[in-house]
Amino acid sequence: MAIDPKFIRNFSIIAHIDHGKSTLADQLLLQSGAISQREFREQLLDDMDLERERGITIKARAVAINYLLDGQTYELNLIDTPGHVDFHYEVSRSLAACEGAILLVDSTQGVQAQTVANAYAAIGADLTIVPALNKIDMQASRPEEVKDEIEQTLGLDRHEVLAVSGKTGQGVPELFKAIIDRIPAPAGKVDAPLRALIFDSKFDDYQGVVVYCRVVDGTLRTGQKIRLMAGDTEHEVTGLGRFRPHAVACDELSVGQVGYVIANIKLLSEVRIGDTITTAIRPATDALPGYQEPRQVVYCGLFPATHNQFDDLRTALQKLSLNDASFTFEPETSDALGFGFRCGFLGMLHMEIVQQRLERESNLALVQTAPNVTYEILTRQGEVLHVSNPTRIPEPGDIEEFREPIAKVQFIIPADAIGQLMQLCTDRRGIYLKTEYITPTRVILAYELPLAEMIYDLYDKLKSTTRGYGTMDYDLIGYRAADLVRLDVLVAGDKVDALSVVVHRDQAYRRGLRLVKKLKAEIDKHQFEIAIQAAIGSKIVARETISAMRKNVTAKCYGGDITRKRKLLEKQKEGKKRMKQVGNVEISQDAFLSVLDSSEE
């Protein structure tokens, strides 16, 4: 049954990681009667095993709630979003399907880096913001101070800030009233041609591609012939439904409503996130704005641990790419690891999550190469190359200028950690921008940092430097020329392509020495001596040698002339020399894994 759009409210909950978005979403479901006390459990909307284990939201989730206020039933469509900086793309997609956002701030921790980033994203998307303090039931809660921070940092009126507790449910009725009073109703036209925005999708083995959409204009009905505007493909709608919070089938979706569409879409490639659904018979002329394409910033190679799993890995990546449109993959070959894929991710946590999902959901054993970023290279011929794989970087003589991606990073830290963090950023070739005091004890510190220096362990180092109180958010601002080199690893004279990395020239010796030492500890002894070298072009910068396995060939010589022993030793020496020329060095999968793991500083 269609509902008048003026009684619909679409909103999402945005916040820094761990500020209680999912817990508050659980309370909203409970207090509106969408779920019973018996069904209630923590992180109800986080249905992925990884989300429940880590206690974080990875995928945005949509759920429809009916709420009765002053005798009128309102339909509230809530989209729960992730908080980690790597999943900011999921947040931007959710905001495009809403008219308002609850900006949730932990009243014990105050405004954090992602709070600021998400608030600006919501303001940029022209959404109405309802600020709320969470965890007010905790003893460490300091509501008045945090309200001042919200007013000072985000420019929102402190008197409009609501106080709630996702754990006890305190203040939730007032929050419902604020959502209905402050957030505007959808502005679409019911009699206009259909336009629905695809904000997510997933693959189902039985139903094919299930598309999540928000209807902007017109009405979507079962049996309708629809057209996906970007791909220009036509399909028949076989099923529609809403999440309440479990999937409930319905016959139509009207203006402002959020739900899922099943339309016999068999190919993963036919659906694009941000695409517009319209009808085949009376199509809309203009598509909806959609989204900016996500920018992958971290790349690594993923190879099957056993060579016969290459096709399984390809299928698994295709399925996962539909559910998570923000990572890319293309086939690549490595002499050391065989056939695999070069994958691009939004950040290190995103990379870790994708790898774990592949291993769990598709039962694959994977080998991952060292993560790296995309570099821009100006060749002597005047060509500009974008290279995400170190092995494709031209020889040093062909490079006119080597540019690396630079990010503007904002840290929010306790004031007593400024000195240590500034040292940390200076060690990573950072350029200082500014310091701003939010309160006498908390500071925003801004730096420009090379992305490659950030992706390994800056987040971990930040947490240990600030005893867990520091947070960060970053934006890519472009490429800048730097003195960078490709560091290759040679084992017995042969280049091991999977271990090539890009480093700053000043760090090449230290990084190379660590790599060759690690490899020396991992490669088993052979019958002949093995040289492990780190090189820049043809120049060797570090070397370790694995001595040959020693067999006592003179054991059977007891007594007699010394020349007998000498003859046997010479014969052994000749054999080792010959073996060194023709012998292959076996590098085990474990050796690769340990070296790649230790690519972190």
Side-chain angles (χ1 to χ4, degrees):
M1 187 185 77
I3 184 168
D4 190 327
K6 70 181 181 190
F7 299 122
I8 295 176
R9 301 288 183 273
N10 292 321
F11 69 100
S12 63
I13 305 177
I14 54 175
H16 188 80
I17 191 168
D18 270 347
H19 278 204
K21 293 178 295 298
S22 299
T23 313
L24 181 63
D26 296 343
Q27 274 296 341
L28 293 174
L29 291 174
L30 183 68
Q31 295 209 19
S32 65
I35 55 169
S36 63
Q37 189 69 48
R38 187 172 61 83
E39 293 173 292
F40 181 70
R41 60 173 185 165
E42 284 184 10
Q43 281 183 275
L44 184 87
L45 293 182
D46 294 344
D47 54 357
M48 210 189 294
D49 287 345
L50 273 174
E51 291 181 312
R52 301 192 67 78
E53 275 172 33
R54 287 170 174 255
I56 60 171
T57 302
I58 294 165
K59 289 293 294 175
R61 282 289 311 272
V63 61
I65 303 168
N66 284 346
Y67 190 73
L68 190 69
L69 181 71
D70 301 335
Q72 174 62 51
T73 301
Y74 289 86
E75 185 179 286
L76 311 178
N77 292 309
L78 154 68
I79 299 177
D80 182 29
T81 61
H84 196 280
V85 61
D86 283 9
F87 302 115
H88 189 65
Y89 172 67
E90 289 276 333
V91 179
S92 70
R93 292 194 342 212
S94 307
L95 295 181
C98 299
E99 278 79 34
I102 297 172
L103 181 70
L104 202 61
V105 182
D106 186 331
S107 62
T108 64
Q109 292 182 24
V111 173
Q112 301 287 348
Q114 275 300 108
T115 315
V116 178
N118 288 337
Y120 286 149
I123 292 164
D126 209 20
L127 301 191
T128 302
I129 293 179
V130 179
L133 290 185
N134 195 16
K135 307 187 186 180
I136 55 160
D137 57 309
M138 291 179 75
Q139 258 185 325
S141 172
R142 40 189 186 89
E144 293 310 312
E145 281 178 55
V146 178
K147 280 181 187 176
D148 290 339
E149 285 183 24
I150 290 172
E151 189 166 62
Q152 197 176 333
T153 317
L154 305 172
L156 301 171
D157 187 348
R158 72 191 307 284
H159 302 296
E160 290 190 352
V161 181
L162 300 166
V164 297
S165 167
K167 199 168 187 183
T168 64
Q170 182 184 342
V172 170
E174 290 83 356
L175 183 62
F176 270 124
K177 191 172 184 329
I179 290 166
I180 290 164
D181 292 346
R182 296 189 205 172
I183 294 174
K189 298 182 181 70
V190 180
D191 51 359
L194 170 70
R195 290 198 305 168
L197 176 73
I198 298 175
F199 68 87
D200 208 351
S201 56
K202 70 168 191 177
F203 186 82
D204 185 283
D205 288 335
Y206 303 104
Q207 297 169 318
V209 182
V210 180
V211 175
Y212 299 173
C213 70
R214 140 91 201 255
V215 179
V216 177
D217 292 313
T219 308
L220 189 57
R221 296 184 179 88
T222 49
Q224 224 172 16
K225 253 300 185 42
I226 57 166
R227 198 169 112 225
L228 304 180
M229 290 180 84
D232 204 21
T233 56
E234 292 190 4
H235 309 273
E236 188 177 331
V237 179
T238 55
L240 293 173
R242 326 284 312 278
F243 293 102
R244 293 181 175 275
H246 307 294
V248 177
C250 65
D251 292 328
E252 65 176 51
L253 292 174
S254 180
V255 169
Q257 292 189 309
V258 176
Y260 64 86
V261 182
I262 301 163
N264 257 335
I265 306 172
K266 294 183 177 66
L267 289 178
L268 313 175
S269 54
E270 287 181 12
V271 175
R272 270 189 46 204
I273 304 297
D275 195 358
T276 305
I277 298 175
T278 188
T279 48
I281 296 163
R282 186 182 161 220
T285 49
D286 301 325
L288 294 163
Y291 307 106
Q292 278 186 317
E293 286 291 310
R295 284 195 294 177
Q296 287 74 32
V297 295
V298 177
Y299 288 82
C300 78
L302 286 180
F303 295 85
T306 52
H307 298 307
N308 60 356
Q309 283 193 317
F310 175 73
D311 289 333
D312 299 340
L313 177 58
R314 179 169 37 210
T315 308
L317 283 166
Q318 283 170 342
K319 276 191 185 179
L320 192 59
S321 71
L322 180 78
N323 192 242
D324 180 356
S326 54
F327 86 96
T328 57
F329 62 96
E330 58 177 42
E332 77 163 350
T333 315
S334 157
D335 296 340
L337 299 169
F339 294 104
F341 291 90
R342 189 95 196 144
C343 303
F345 308 95
L346 303 180
M348 291 295 277
L349 178 70
H350 187 213
M351 180 178 85
E352 210 179 302
I353 296 290
V354 167
Q355 188 186 345
Q356 288 190 357
R357 284 184 70 184
L358 284 171
E359 289 179 338
R360 286 180 180 206
E361 294 170 17
S362 305
N363 204 16
L364 295 167
L366 298 175
V367 177
Q368 175 200 319
T369 63
N372 63 276
V373 298
T374 305
Y375 294 94
E376 196 174 85
I377 292 168
L378 177 66
T379 63
R380 293 207 187 279
Q381 288 76 42
E383 245 185 309
V384 176
L385 308 173
H386 284 90
V387 184
S388 60
N389 188 342
T391 55
R392 293 189 189 155
I393 289 169
E395 291 304 313
D398 298 333
I399 297 174
E400 182 68 40
E401 198 171 64
F402 207 142
R403 301 168 190 153
E404 62 183 344
I406 303 291
K408 183 184 176 187
V409 192
Q410 280 200 322
F411 301 97
I412 295 187
I413 55 167
D416 58 4
I418 289 181
Q420 288 168 285
L421 193 71
M422 287 179 112
Q423 185 60 51
L424 193 69
C425 293
T426 307
D427 293 344
R428 283 167 163 64
R429 301 186 284 122
I431 298 169
Y432 170 77
L433 296 176
K434 62 176 181 180
T435 306
E436 270 179 49
Y437 277 82
I438 307 174
T439 68
T441 56
R442 295 183 68 231
V443 180
I444 297 179
L445 196 61
Y447 263 89
E448 281 181 7
L449 280 163
L451 189 63
E453 298 284 350
M454 285 170 49
I455 62 170
Y456 286 122
D457 63 343
L458 183 65
Y459 191 70
D460 297 337
K461 286 275 198 301
L462 167 71
K463 286 294 180 193
S464 58
T465 304
T466 60
R467 301 182 306 285
Y469 290 110
T471 57
M472 64 181 261
D473 177 60
Y474 64 87
D475 283 311
L476 287 181
I477 55 173
Y479 288 87
R480 194 176 291 158
D483 190 8
L484 302 171
V485 290
R486 184 182 78 195
L487 186 70
D488 295 317
V489 175
L490 291 84
V491 176
D494 293 330
K495 193 189 292 182
V496 183
D497 53 0
L499 297 179
S500 295
V501 286
V502 175
V503 292
H504 195 270
R505 197 180 292 276
D506 295 347
Q507 298 171 352
Y509 168 70
R510 189 168 52 86
R511 192 79 179 270
L513 192 63
R514 209 183 61 254
L515 269 173
V516 294
K517 280 191 166 163
K518 189 75 189 169
L519 259 185
K520 182 185 178 181
E522 293 296 334
I523 295 177
D524 294 330
K525 281 191 173 187
H526 286 54
Q527 295 280 345
F528 51 92
E529 189 182 85
I530 301 167
I532 303 171
Q533 297 159 311
I536 300 168
S538 57
K539 183 184 172 189
I540 307 295
V541 292
R543 171 180 171 135
E544 288 285 332
T545 307
I546 299 175
S547 56
M549 205 183 279
R550 184 101 195 263
K551 182 185 175 189
N552 189 357
V553 289
T554 60
K556 60 184 184 233
C557 291
Y558 43 91
D561 191 2
I562 187 70
T563 52
R564 289 181 65 201
K565 286 189 177 181
R566 220 172 266 154
K567 185 180 171 187
L568 287 167
L569 288 168
E570 285 299 323
K571 194 175 173 186
Q572 184 188 35
K573 199 170 165 186
E574 282 299 315
K576 283 190 187 299
K577 195 173 174 184
R578 195 166 58 249
M579 204 183 270
K580 191 175 179 179
Q581 289 165 355
V582 298
N584 287 326
V585 180
E586 288 290 324
I587 305 178
S588 69
Q589 208 75 277
D590 293 342
F592 265 113
L593 283 171
S594 64
V595 175
L596 295 173
D597 283 349
S598 72
S599 58
E600 297 174 26
E601 288 292 334

